[in-house]
Amino acid sequence: MEGAWRKVRKALGLRLCAHAPAVGGGSLLRATAGAGVCRRDAAVAVAAAGESGPSAPLRRSKSGGRSSSSSSSSKQGKCAICFASMRSGNGQALFTAECSHMFHFHCISSNVKHGNYVCPVCRATWKEIPCRSLSSTSPRGRIRVNQGRSPQQDPHMALRRQVSNRRREVRRLHTSEPADYNDDEPLQRKGTFDNLNSGSSKTAQISSYPEFQAVPQSSCLDGFDILVHVKAPASSSNHVAGSLDNEGSVRLSNRAPVDLVTVLDVSGSMAGTKLALLKQAMAFVVQHLRASDRLSVIAFSSTAQRLFPLRQMSHHGRQQALQAINSLGASGGTNIADALKKAVKVIDDRSYKNSVCSIILLSDGQDTYSVSSNFQGISAGRRSLVPSSILNEHHMVPLHAFGFGADHDSDTLHSIAEASGGTFSFIEDEGVMQDAFAQCIGGLLSVSVQEMRVSMECVDSGVQLRSIKCGSYPSKVARDGRNGSVEIGHLYADEERDILLSVTIPKSSEQTSLLRVACAYKDPVTNEIIKIQGDEVKIKRPTSIVSEPVSIEVDRERNRIQAASSIESARAAAERGALSEAITILEDCRRVLSQSFASQNGDRLCMALDAELREMQERMANRQLYEASGRAYMLSGLSSHSWQRATARGDSTDSTTLVYSYQTPSMVQMLEHSQNFCSSPQSQRPQVQGVRSVLEKSQAR
């Protein structure tokens, strides 16, 4: 064998090409003459599938010994990047690195193309990197040399050794990672859409509901509730459509264009079906953006890489985006912090700005670089993953996080989303990933309100504002209790928000004017500031006690707030390991809700809340089940309630659950598009039926 190696080294010294086919029952390197450009002293062997004998050729290590692929995937005949078979006869070239790990050549060359010079298995730094020529390989997968061509014309895959030109190679491979991300594509000229971007002819609606219509003159109440209800302008037809029609033109509507940055986990755990479904979901997103929308994609594993800058989703832009997404491979660890820094940098450094901007983050694992085990259970540690600029309340860039599978870090993703004003969704079943994205995109492509602020002012003397309950939205009450405000921010078309106020009512012998409620917001299409004055909230003051039922709108909101509070308390108990206590908390809440006025009058929201709490109880049956899905399900529910916005939770399609209670018509429309986009839409049809039924019930309310 030593003699064979000497012959190989001699052949390589004469710039001949060496092939390593199997001979008989063993492996023997055979030198073949030709006009090839194989580097001398190559420490790797490129094997071609389709050869007889062992599929993992032997290679010579630097110490002079003989070694074969040592990774478990190689031992099992699987590529450590795509986990597909590397057995002989599959027609794919194989690559054995200098660290002895073996991969499909096209997998590892794609990995290197994006600037990764370390082994995905052992993280060893390579001195020799693979690259693929533009031409295809020869038949049967063998890498051959065409003697009649120059090295630049040779149609083969080769190993490029980094010697004196190493720095030039690094710069070439990192051309897509400039120091500043101000290379975004300019916005489409407004003149192109002047006939469409006229804004909505409708405005937001604001209404108020006192707890009771009348209060006796002699009564002085310290805690009288008033519900303020806000609804965004309705969407126009085809509001979210952006896909190509039969004639190849883009269907457009008068909605605001979007700058979207998607941050995708492509670590080793995403390999196989997960990555394929992620690519399909991203293809759906790309196809439903229109030419004035811009998209940038950040892919991350051990490090993060911007695949392309913010680019218009014209026909050409879509094709380039799809090509970049389809080239993704899975390997390495999970570095969420690095990915978020680059995503925020794309937003901060852009030279042009669409009126709507958002970030979508998907991950199926736990950050293995920035959060230590010491941070377990401490929100401050997880918030450290979020770049400081996104924590600025004036940044106005929500980050919507999606946790995929049973192994993702739901606490971290929920904390990141909560800190940025976004939502956290739990994708339990890999088959509903596209639907989860569709629901989120349906909202983002229908933003009709921005920078909304709801203000309230007490009218009669003696009336004071005590508290404001509005979930995670920032609110403040003046020191004298005479006025207050809530910062709602942006709303999707047809989206609704409920704010529960508590006021003090003095004794009075005549009708009492409690509050004046108003709101102001910006139209994202026209940038016009719109102000709306609500009706003054008044109550009658009869001399005697009047038997009157509580307002069902107020009671319904109390129930929702009570349920959200119980979910938070139950989760805290579960984190302490007290699952039985957590189940009891939820059971007590269900009992209280069932006795409420709204529930006894058949309120459908109360029924949905009960179904949601029951589902959470079932997911806390034991510690293993809670760790696998219960925690993520509860956090997604809390996110949904705190922002009063739809989130994906588990794989439930039950029309009576609260999963769909915040959905808007635009979300429903996009979900229907998603089902038509799927290869098996029939399997998802019950979900949309459930969506529509709950939506109709919500509108009927």
Side-chain angles (χ1 to χ4, degrees), residues 349-508:
D349 291 359
R350 54 186 171 154
S351 300
Y352 312 92
K353 295 182 180 181
N354 270 325
S355 55
V356 178
C357 182
S358 188
I359 300 173
I360 290 179
L361 165 66
L362 179 137
S363 177
D364 76 329
Q366 304 198 16
D367 190 286
T368 54
Y369 290 82
S370 305
V371 177
S372 68
S373 58
N374 295 332
F375 280 135
Q376 191 68 25
I378 303 177
S379 60
R382 298 184 174 89
R383 285 173 64 93
S384 66
L385 293 175
V386 187
S388 58
S389 60
I390 208 172
L391 295 175
N392 185 347
E393 62 180 7
H394 302 294
H395 199 275
M396 301 303 292
V397 180
L399 187 153
H400 301 284
F402 292 81
F404 186 24
D407 297 325
H408 74 276
D409 190 344
S410 56
D411 279 322
T412 294
L413 295 181
H414 176 263
S415 297
I416 291 172
E418 188 74 13
S420 67
T423 57
F424 166 66
S425 292
F426 170 39
I427 306 176
E428 183 175 21
D429 182 0
E430 58 189 18
V432 300
M433 183 191 299
Q434 181 174 298
D435 287 342
F437 273 28
Q439 177 175 271
C440 182
I441 292 297
L444 294 177
L445 299 186
S446 67
V447 173
S448 60
V449 167
Q450 284 185 316
E451 302 175 16
M452 174 177 273
R453 181 178 184 178
V454 179
S455 59
M456 56 286 303
E457 180 183 7
C458 298
V459 180
D460 286 354
S461 60
V463 178
Q464 285 188 316
L465 180 61
R466 297 179 66 248
S467 66
I468 300 175
K469 295 181 180 179
C470 54
S472 294
Y473 292 103
S475 65
K476 62 180 180 180
V477 177
R479 290 185 178 180
D480 60 3
R482 294 293 291 172
N483 60 74
S485 63
V486 180
E487 303 293 338
I488 298 295
H490 69 279
L491 291 177
Y492 305 150
D494 297 285
E495 208 167 28
E496 303 175 46
R497 294 293 179 268
D498 288 325
I499 304 169
L500 192 64
L501 310 177
S502 180
V503 300
T504 297
I505 300 179
K507 297 178 181 179
S508 177

Side-chain angles (χ1 to χ4, degrees), residues 8-20 30-46 105 128-129 142-146 149-152 154 156-161 163:
V8 170
R9 292 179 61 84
K10 182 177 180 181
L12 292 175
L14 296 174
R15 300 181 63 82
L16 302 180
C17 185
H19 296 272
R30 181 178 58 198
T32 306
V37 291
C38 296
R39 300 286 184 179
R40 291 182 302 175
D41 302 325
V44 294
V46 178
F105 197 95
E128 294 156 347
I129 60 172
R142 184 191 295 272
I143 300 170
R144 294 188 179 276
V145 176
N146 188 327
R149 301 189 182 184
S150 65
Q152 291 81 5
D154 187 25
H156 72 286
M157 290 179 292
L159 298 177
R160 183 171 301 226
R161 184 181 178 91
V163 189

Side-chain angles (χ1 to χ4, degrees), residues 1-268:
M1 190 63 186
E2 290 297 329
W5 275 108
R6 284 196 297 272
K7 292 180 181 179
V8 170
R9 292 179 61 84
K10 182 177 180 181
L12 292 175
L14 296 174
R15 300 181 63 82
L16 302 180
C17 185
H19 296 272
V23 179
S27 297
L28 179 64
L29 289 174
R30 181 178 58 198
T32 306
V37 291
C38 296
R39 300 286 184 179
R40 291 182 302 175
D41 302 325
V44 294
V46 178
E51 299 290 340
S52 60
S55 61
L58 299 175
R59 60 175 293 279
R60 195 71 169 176
S61 67
K62 292 188 179 294
S63 61
R66 185 181 69 177
S67 64
S68 61
S69 176
S70 60
S71 68
S72 59
S73 60
S74 297
K75 292 179 180 179
Q76 298 172 359
K78 293 184 179 180
C79 174
I81 296 178
C82 68
F83 290 96
S85 173
M86 293 194 299
R87 293 178 299 177
S88 61
N90 287 344
Q92 298 188 59
L94 306 179
F95 171 74
T96 304
E98 56 199 274
C99 59
S100 302
H101 293 121
M102 181 181 290
F103 315 93
H104 286 128
F105 197 95
H106 69 86
C107 292
I108 200 63
S109 61
S110 177
N111 201 46
V112 168
K113 179 182 177 182
H114 289 88
N116 298 320
Y117 305 117
V118 295
C119 175
V121 178
C122 67
R123 314 306 299 167
T125 301
W126 292 339
K127 294 182 179 179
E128 294 156 347
I129 60 172
C131 67
R132 181 191 293 270
S133 68
L134 297 177
S135 303
S136 59
T137 58
S138 59
R140 297 182 61 191
R142 184 191 295 272
I143 300 170
R144 294 188 179 276
V145 176
N146 188 327
Q147 299 182 10
R149 301 189 182 184
S150 65
Q152 291 81 5
Q153 297 172 325
D154 187 25
H156 72 286
M157 290 179 292
L159 298 177
R160 183 171 301 226
R161 184 181 178 91
Q162 296 178 317
V163 189
S164 61
N165 63 342
R166 179 185 179 106
R167 292 182 179 178
R168 187 176 70 240
E169 284 295 319
V170 171
R171 286 196 299 269
R172 183 182 67 81
L173 289 171
H174 283 277
T175 54
S176 61
E177 292 285 347
D180 296 316
Y181 288 168
N182 56 0
D183 54 350
D184 52 309
E185 193 170 1
L187 305 180
Q188 197 154 25
R189 290 181 302 174
K190 292 184 178 181
T192 307
F193 303 103
D194 280 345
N195 60 325
L196 295 169
N197 290 350
S198 56
S200 173
S201 59
K202 302 178 181 179
T203 60
Q205 302 172 13
I206 185 168
S207 53
S208 303
Y209 304 89
E211 181 178 355
F212 297 101
Q213 294 295 329
V215 174
Q217 296 178 2
S218 59
S219 296
C220 178
L221 302 180
D222 186 17
F224 184 86
D225 289 339
I226 302 172
L227 176 71
V228 177
H229 180 78
V230 179
K231 184 175 182 180
S235 62
S236 60
S237 60
N238 284 332
H239 200 89
V240 299
S243 57
L244 299 178
D245 60 20
N246 294 333
E247 289 74 29
S249 61
V250 181
R251 298 193 304 271
L252 300 173
S253 61
N254 56 335
R255 68 163 177 85
V258 177
D259 281 346
L260 178 63
V261 180
T262 57
V263 185
L264 309 177
D265 186 344
V266 292
S267 58

Side-chain angles (χ1 to χ4, degrees), residues 569-586 620 622-623 626:
S569 299
R571 190 183 78 88
E575 294 300 323
R576 297 194 307 268
L579 290 178
S580 58
E581 178 185 346
I583 293 175
T584 300
I585 292 173
L586 297 181
M620 291 192 292
N622 55 68
R623 192 68 193 175
Y626 175 76

Side-chain angles (χ1 to χ4, degrees), residues 621-632:
N622 55 68
R623 192 68 193 175
Q624 182 179 4
L625 184 58
Y626 175 76
E627 296 284 350
S629 67
R631 176 187 292 116

